[in-house]
Amino acid sequence: MSIDDSGLTIRKTRRRVIGVNGDLALSDDHARLVKLSSAVRAREGRLPCTAVDISEGGMGVLCECFLPRRCRCDIRLLNPANPDEPIFTARMRVARPQMVDRRPGYQLGLIFDEDGSVFAERLQRFMTLIDEI
């Protein structure tokens, strides 16, 4: 996002709608600070989620667990044809947590917390895969 001459915040990248299951785990430094209740369905310390959109800046995910703003996590999106095989992984940071229903259900706006040419290539390959579907 950026601010244009009018002072409005505008999106610089195209958001792609997706529906890919995955999971996320708190980064080691934040796992000590964010305590998950025993009611959370974490498997091996990972929370199930569904990525609902993605852009070059980040992604939106649905999750049954609230994560605070600025919390760092690692996301793993799973191959629909083989759920044991991740098709994309990234280090993320929560930019916007929002409760969306009473289940509870939260939509987390995540931004990429990685940069560099290796990450940019990996992200571009995944975006190309999404565009071809």
Side-chain angles (χ1 to χ4, degrees):
M1 301 253 187
S2 69
I3 299 176
D4 70 359
D5 293 336
S6 69
L8 298 174
T9 303
I10 58 170
R11 178 173 293 281
K12 291 176 95 172
T13 57
R14 181 171 72 102
R15 183 182 295 173
R16 293 148 172 95
V17 176
I18 61 175
V20 180
N21 290 328
D23 53 38
L24 55 87
L26 299 176
S27 65
D28 290 339
D29 55 338
H30 285 181
R32 292 186 299 267
L33 301 171
V34 178
K35 300 296 181 199
L36 302 177
S37 87
S38 60
V40 174
R41 295 184 306 139
R43 187 183 63 192
E44 298 171 8
R46 302 193 69 87
L47 303 166
C49 66
T50 302
V52 294
D53 63 59
I54 188 168
S55 73
E56 282 80 359
M59 71 177 71
V61 301
L62 295 176
C63 184
E64 293 181 358
C65 182
F66 174 84
L67 295 180
R69 193 168 176 261
R70 292 193 284 279
C71 180
R72 282 192 297 269
C73 58
D74 296 311
I75 194 159
R76 179 173 63 177
L77 300 182
L78 305 174
N79 183 339
N82 181 2
D84 293 329
E85 175 188 318
I87 55 173
F88 182 73
T89 61
R91 196 169 347 121
M92 310 292 294
R93 183 179 294 269
V94 177
R96 189 189 76 248
Q98 180 180 8
M99 187 173 202
V100 291
D101 65 36
R102 293 173 44 174
R103 248 179 317 162
Y106 299 91
Q107 182 161 5
L108 305 175
L110 305 175
I111 56 176
F112 294 115
D113 200 26
E114 292 187 61
D115 55 15
S117 60
V118 173
F119 173 72
E121 257 182 60
R122 197 171 75 232
L123 177 59
Q124 190 55 51
R125 278 194 309 270
F126 184 64
M127 299 294 259
T128 301
L129 176 66
I130 288 170
D131 288 340
E132 291 174 354
I133 295 176

